[in-house]
Amino acid sequence: MAYRLYNEKPNTFTQDCDDDGESAAGGRMLHLLQILDVRNVMVVVSRWYGGIQLGADRFKHINNCTRNILQQCGFLKSAAEVKQHPHHDGNKSHRHRKR
């Protein structure tokens, strides 16, 4: 699980993640939300053991699920939107709250 909420005032992010036993999965999902500059979203990916060890491939599957749902729900910018309104604001501060 990972979430990322944008606070207009004071122009910061409240964000966090939880692995729930799947070491590093939440952190990787949060990183994906950050590099995609997704705002005001929470993503939960659930998986269960089906008898096959996935190893590191599990992160690829978790991130693909995350990206797919963000795309389906309209949270990802199209290439045209990025060119028209590039995201870069050097004054943004980011806050990562730890528990």
Side-chain angles (χ1 to χ4, degrees):
M1 180 274 301
Y3 66 88
R4 191 164 190 256
L5 306 171
Y6 178 65
N7 308 302
E8 283 190 37
K9 295 179 185 174
N11 199 29
T12 61
F13 288 90
T14 301
Q15 54 191 8
D16 202 2
C17 60
D18 190 300
D19 297 326
D20 193 35
E22 188 69 66
S23 296
R28 290 176 184 229
M29 288 172 58
L30 178 57
H31 182 252
L32 181 62
L33 298 180
Q34 292 167 336
I35 63 174
L36 294 173
D37 191 31
V38 177
R39 300 169 181 214
N40 303 322
V41 68
M42 173 187 230
V43 179
V44 177
V45 175
S46 177
R47 79 174 196 97
W48 61 92
Y49 182 67
I52 298 172
Q53 295 283 346
L54 297 177
D57 277 350
R58 69 186 183 276
F59 299 119
K60 176 179 66 176
H61 297 300
I62 290 168
N63 272 356
N64 283 340
C65 286
T66 301
R67 182 183 287 272
N68 288 340
I69 198 66
L70 291 171
Q71 180 71 46
Q72 289 173 14
C73 292
F75 282 95
L76 298 185
K77 296 176 183 175
S78 69
E81 285 177 303
V82 171
K83 284 182 181 178
Q84 188 176 13
H85 303 286
H87 160 45
H88 182 14
D89 182 354
N91 296 322
K92 284 188 182 177
S93 65
H94 298 280
R95 176 176 51 198
H96 182 90
R97 192 187 65 176
K98 293 278 186 183
R99 287 185 218 158

